Amino acid sequence: MRSRGLAYLDVLKIDTEGFDPAVLAGAYESLANQRVGLLSFEYHKLWNQSGSTLKQCVHYLDDLGYSCYYDGPVLAKVSGSCWKDAYEIRRWSNIVCVRRGTGMEKELYAGSYLASAKGKTDRRKAKNLKTSKIG
């Protein structure tokens, strides 16, 4: 970004066949200064080459102000208190991260498993409330 004179990057897509953690480390200045809106990277068994784990990268990005999600059939948040060691699967998948506190973060969350599960819970509570008022 510095060599191209870019002050901000809307999307940073990383696909370096196992060396994505090295690219994330190299992007530290831009990420720390919130100059990337959304980033996407691959996670798979080739990460063994870099010696990094998904947990390390997710925590690194979390510390820099990004919320991360598994980008698969179900959008599942993996940042912060949502992290589970079971996510360290070393199988091909995509991770998408977005700056916290932005409209884009709200949109990702709205499309995530957490939001849909919460919505189901809220609908069950509303149904129970209606039933208890009627009965």
Side-chain angles (χ1 to χ4, degrees), residues 104-121:
M104 180 67 80
E105 181 194 26
K106 289 176 187 167
E107 291 296 323
L108 273 181
Y109 179 81
S112 74
Y113 173 77
L114 277 177
S116 65
K118 184 178 183 323
K120 288 176 188 170
T121 302

Side-chain angles (χ1 to χ4, degrees), residues 55-71:
K55 183 177 184 176
Q56 288 170 329
C57 286
V58 167
H59 286 238
Y60 166 77
L61 291 163
D62 195 35
D63 288 346
L64 294 176
Y66 289 83
S67 293
C68 297
Y69 296 78
Y70 262 118
D71 183 10

Side-chain angles (χ1 to χ4, degrees), residues 13-33:
K13 172 131 176 61
I14 305 168
D15 184 357
T16 55
E17 302 308 321
F19 294 96
D20 300 36
V23 175
L24 290 169
Y28 174 80
E29 181 183 322
S30 297
L31 295 169
N33 291 310

Side-chain angles (χ1 to χ4, degrees), residues 82-124:
C82 294
W83 175 261
K84 292 180 176 66
D85 288 337
Y87 293 145
E88 202 70 64
I89 56 176
R90 298 249 181 223
R91 158 175 84 192
W92 183 86
S93 51
N94 289 306
I95 306 296
V96 63
C97 306
V98 65
R99 283 184 30 226
R100 270 196 302 276
T102 63
M104 180 67 80
E105 181 194 26
K106 289 176 187 167
E107 291 296 323
L108 273 181
Y109 179 81
S112 74
Y113 173 77
L114 277 177
S116 65
K118 184 178 183 323
K120 288 176 188 170
T121 302
D122 289 347
R123 283 191 292 279
R124 271 189 241 121

Side-chain angles (χ1 to χ4, degrees), residues 47-53 56 90:
W47 274 40
N48 289 331
Q49 299 173 42
S50 71
S52 295
T53 66
Q56 288 170 329
R90 298 249 181 223

Side-chain angles (χ1 to χ4, degrees), residues 1-46:
M1 290 176 63
R2 188 180 311 121
S3 68
R4 301 256 182 206
L6 299 174
Y8 187 83
L9 204 59
D10 291 316
V11 177
L12 173 61
K13 172 131 176 61
I14 305 168
D15 184 357
T16 55
E17 302 308 321
F19 294 96
D20 300 36
V23 175
L24 290 169
Y28 174 80
E29 181 183 322
S30 297
L31 295 169
N33 291 310
Q34 304 284 297
R35 293 184 9 219
V36 176
L38 181 135
L39 63 112
S40 173
F41 59 92
E42 286 187 334
Y43 169 69
H44 47 71
K45 65 182 179 183
L46 292 177

